Amino acid sequence: DELFAGCYDGAVKSFAIESDGMKSTEIAVFPGRVWSIDSHEEQPDLLASASHDGTAAVMDRRIPLKTSRVVIRLRMMDNTTCVKFRKPTELCVTCADQSVRLYDIRNSCKPVLRFNRSRHDRAVSYVSLSGEHIISAG
């Protein structure tokens, strides 16, 4: 079992409990605070993060640490606040610009679905997924 943590200093870390104590591994570092982390249910080496610098990122832990583990970087106009994998190929991202976006990570150049400011009157801080439903709060 592992615990993944997004840190205030921009680091994404994993913590594993081993027989000789707890082992910490740095997975990636971002220029802003990391607000949210999610792991892919079917591909446990994939992690997603939302950070203060306006990016949502997908990282692959199989890539050696000496190189960037970020395989997808989505840039927003404002802070990203929450990320959640949905289905094998989708990533939901919430943002301080009052939007919720759904991306197909196989072709992430633009969102496949976007709920804009008309749905929230403040920053969207959380997203949860239940079947085909996207549940957001802000």
Side-chain angles (χ1 to χ4, degrees), residues 62-127:
R62 295 170 292 193
I63 296 173
L65 190 54
K66 294 177 177 139
T67 60
S68 175
R69 290 182 166 177
V70 176
V71 292
I72 298 170
R73 187 179 307 270
L74 305 168
R75 298 200 185 278
M76 310 295 162
M77 297 302 291
D78 214 333
N79 300 343
T80 56
T81 53
C82 190
V83 288
K84 196 66 137 168
F85 282 108
R86 177 181 152 182
K87 300 183 181 178
T89 61
E90 294 178 339
L91 181 69
C92 199
V93 180
T94 64
C95 197
D97 71 358
Q98 305 166 352
S99 68
V100 178
R101 296 172 173 98
L102 182 66
Y103 288 89
D104 183 330
I105 60 174
R106 297 168 299 180
N107 182 15
S108 60
C109 59
K110 65 179 184 174
V112 294
L113 182 65
R114 179 178 174 161
F115 298 104
N116 59 19
R117 294 185 171 116
S118 64
R119 308 293 192 267
H120 288 278
D121 60 356
R122 297 189 184 251
V124 183
S125 58
Y126 179 76
V127 69

